[in-house]
Amino acid sequence: MKNISKSIDKVDAHEKIAGETAYISDIKREDMVYAMTLRSPVASGTIRNITLPTLPEGYAAVGPEDIPGRNLVTMIYEDWPVFPEKRVNYIGEPLMLLLGPDKERLASLLDAVEVDIEEDTPVLDYSHSGVHLHYEKGDSDKAFADADRIIEETYTTGYQEQAYIEPQGFVGYIEDETYTVIGSIQCPYYVHEAVKVTLDETDENVRVLQAPVGGAFGGKEEFPSVMATQLAVALKKIKRPIKMIYEREEDMVSTTKRHPSKTTIRAAVKDGRITGMTSHIGIDGGAYIGLSEVVLSRGMLAATNAYTIEHLDVDGDVYLTNTVPNGAFRGFGAPQMIYAIEMFMHHAAKELGEDPFSFRKAHMVKQGDWTSTGGKFRDPILLDEMIEKAADISDYHKKRKAYEDENVYKGIGMSWFFHGCGFTGSGEQHIIKSRVEVEKDAQDTVYIHVAAVDMGQGPKTTLRKIVADVLDLPIERVIFDYPDTHRVPDSGPTVASRTAMIVGGLLARAAKTLKETWREGEAQKVEKRYQQPDYVEWDGECMKGDAYPAYSWGVNVVEVEVDKHTYEIDVKDVYSVYDLGKAIDERIVLGQADGGQAQGVAYGYLEVMSRENGRLKQTNMTDYIIPTAMDMPKTDNHLIDNPYPYGPYGAKGGGELTLVGGAPAVAQAIEQAVGRRVRDIPATPEYLMELIHNG
Amino acid sequence: MNKIPESLNEALQYLKEGTYDVLAGGTDIMLKNRGYAEAPVPFKKNMLYIFNLDELRYIATHDEHIAIGAVTSYASMLRHPDVPDILKRSIRQIAGPALRHVATLAGNIGNASPSADGVLVLYLLDARIILASADGEREVPIEDVITGPGKHTIRPEEMIKEIRLPRRTFSNTFFKKVGARKADAISKTSLAGAARLHDNVVEELRIAIGAVNVTVVRDRSIEASFKGLTLEDLKARVDEVAAAYDSLIRPIDDQRSNARYRKQVSFNLIEAFIRQL
């Protein structure tokens, strides 16, 4: 049998390298106008009046009064208006669109709009909880009552901006009386549903097409629904093709980011072991809840990361603030929590005078253990072997010892972690209900019909590889076009590390059926629907049971050197070992690893986004610092096969796994280098200076 | 109307007759005039594009100085054997390779940013700037050209024609740029230092500090006060050197860093420079 992991060239590599790919900003339609957004200049207030200048022929304004359907964007939690009618809740909130053929003219018209808002005091702290979640396991009260020591620490994390190469954008037009939008998006059917509801139209009258996506990282999960509904309202009013592309600064101030967080962990220690733990994670949701509850939930489910703690009590809140709403970003709540718990375990060991590595290993999860929510880790866990491998390739133990010398400004840190694959709990079964089709025509060319989006992570290649391999066809005979909601079924959103495992799994089953019923020279079609593995039991209300059908695992080792004059952090080496079941294409997975690690490590030490009175301070790529090739060292990444019985060829999730462990690994390395405890990230040179001078 | 002159004389004639912003590489001015995709750049003034004036693309070595023409790119300066090493060290940390193929030192001067890395070294090297107009030329020390953030004394009818770097040899030079990352970063603070030692005695000491005041900081009286010391004496008095700059190091809080950090790091770098002599 062929090894599916053996890499092939990405099917879209050539056209992208050659610059032939037409992204959304390259698309033009005849008689097209541009849309520009009027935005709130204040963080909190009530609209008194908006006075427009006289609009020339061919120009139009579109606002809340033009919405035919419901003025709430359809998403997991619905509190986000298409356009606010009275209350404005954050700086940059879209108030209305201006449309017209000439951008410079539009810009000057936009400048001439008079916005009269009665401003009030914005909420900018963690005081207004919009969502509270809680779960528990065992009897944590008793654990704390019996404890001979209690350890508590608080951690904060900052914003993170997705910094996709291509800003958000759509082109919309009416064709055959169908409202058609094409955009840089992750979830065609999310956009489809949102537009349909906002326009009060039928499923058939709304069509969503995916344009090639120049990076997304979660930033194009729910936000495009907001933009698309606005565009659709304008489309219905002016009935001309419209192009709406955000400029970079506009994108950065007005689209979703990773939630800043504050996490407090308290542990009951008995005989040198943690017996119980209470945690509270608060995340800053911004002005609307949107996806934040689900982000919070994924964070809380990672409360004990890859450790088994018998008695547990976990609380979480989404705090509402008068700032830009936060949302999906690769990792989805897990990076905040995994950072906190990894640092906590490390610091707790130090408090107890134990070796952090051994202390952490003594608490590590094993196959058969209960999860934080009382589900079961059913599948083999290879962490022991992975940690040994990571320690070996990085020479971790020797370096860890050598860098303890306080005259050496070097440090090495190690994190280990899991990531739950797919939607939380029974989400795949009850919410997503994924459907896929594999079709062949009379010439025996095979077509994949799914709504999965290739945003750089490779499904255009990997999904074709799976189907081609099952059918034993050359990959050229398997076609996978950009999703079009008029042609493909809803295979679910391209999120939650689910595409290879869930969509790929369904496609493998569909392809197998097609193979078994294959009739040469005849058109055939096979459909498959998601069926939850029998063992999954989840009570969403109490957050009890199996939160995920499967888990991927990882180990990151990061080595740094800190400049003693400037406190600058030089990331010297990154080593990793991952278990994501089975790589469908090894090079694509290693590419995910390089990118995810860069994003995860930079989250820990480099990427700063801050705000003052509700206004973001870093609003362009000059001021918002992401790592360049100069900042990221060569990486040494390894994959370990651990096939998952329900995934295609054993594949689990990989997209987010590679990000979630970067921050604690680099933070541990930094704290060793400077001999101080890091609690807040990003651990910038400015922060290190304060730590060094003030302890 | 925007103009694309074919000779320096033609360019100077335009400047005499009208008001223009001069664009060499355009890497700063394009950012200052950001507009919208699929729309023209919203320049506020008429533009004089000088990037194809080949007569200003040169590096010439003279007895007393190196002359660098106004449209010479950073990339070509890196390749030239006579460009001082400390200037090359700063250039290697300006932006990234692609930008260095078009960006120019003259543009860096015209932009008059106190955090410009190339300009910092010009202060250290006592660079002189040749400003040309249709009526003639004048030679002005760099510190008299730049007067504040975005402010300079170049007259509307003038443009930068050449940068002159006096040829001096130093026993020791120091350059450190502190940016948020290793490439494509604007300095939070930066320090360039140079010293000439003879028989263990400090004959000359120069220090230039960027991004901590409205212009690059260079103070010749402070430098002179440490001349004549033995190296050991200088090192013993390193705290005094740093303290002498205290009132000149007046950084700000902004989106890139904060004043406390900039000040502390500037002191640390003065110390690092002196200690490595």
Side-chain angles (χ1 to χ4, degrees), chain A residues 12-27:
Chain A
D12 51 353
H14 182 273
E15 63 162 69
K16 283 184 171 165
I17 292 165
E20 290 162 358
T21 306
Y23 291 91
I24 189 68
S25 66
D26 299 313
I27 295 172

Side-chain angles (χ1 to χ4, degrees), chain A residues 97-114:
Chain A
L97 300 184
L98 288 189
L99 304 113
D102 184 275
K103 272 198 174 179
E104 287 176 295
R105 187 100 186 249
L106 264 183
S108 65
L109 288 169
L110 204 60
D111 282 343
V113 179
E114 285 172 36

Side-chain angles (χ1 to χ4, degrees), chain A residues 159-192:
Chain A
Y159 275 116
Q160 191 176 22
E161 157 67 35
Q162 291 88 355
Y164 27 67
I165 303 168
E166 176 201 33
Q168 306 265 357
F170 280 96
V171 169
Y173 52 93
I174 301 172
E175 195 172 62
D176 304 329
E177 290 168 37
T178 302
Y179 295 94
T180 307
V181 296
I182 170 164
S184 178
I185 56 177
Q186 286 176 244
C187 314
Y189 272 96
Y190 278 5
V191 174
H192 184 269

Side-chain angles (χ1 to χ4, degrees), chain A residues 103 566 570 623 626 686 690, chain B residues 37 181-182 256-257 261:
Chain A
K103 272 198 174 179
T566 64
D570 187 0
D623 293 336
I626 60 171
E686 287 79 0
E690 300 294 343
Chain B
R181 65 182 161 208
K182 292 183 188 166
R256 285 189 274 280
S257 185
Y261 174 82

Side-chain angles (χ1 to χ4, degrees), chain A residues 124-139:
Chain A
L124 297 170
D125 58 4
Y126 287 12
S127 58
H128 289 52
S129 175
V131 176
H132 178 82
L133 299 178
H134 172 256
Y135 73 88
E136 58 188 42
K137 179 177 82 167
D139 185 351

Side-chain angles (χ1 to χ4, degrees), chain A residues 479-550:
Chain A
I479 309 297
F480 173 22
D481 286 329
Y482 290 105
D484 169 353
T485 57
H486 266 29
R487 294 184 50 208
V488 304
D490 185 0
S491 61
T494 314
V495 303
S497 304
R498 64 183 290 281
T499 301
M501 182 173 101
I502 306 278
V503 181
L506 287 173
L507 284 173
R509 282 173 46 209
K512 188 160 175 281
T513 304
L514 180 62
K515 188 177 191 177
E516 287 160 1
T517 58
W518 186 276
R519 292 185 298 274
E520 200 96 13
E522 211 176 294
Q524 284 176 273
K525 184 147 117 180
V526 178
E527 186 196 81
K528 291 286 174 191
R529 287 165 184 268
Y530 181 76
Q531 280 176 323
Q532 185 164 286
D534 292 337
Y535 60 78
V536 175
E537 276 178 40
W538 175 246
D539 173 354
E541 199 75 2
C542 303
M543 297 179 77
K544 234 177 187 43
D546 290 303
Y548 301 99

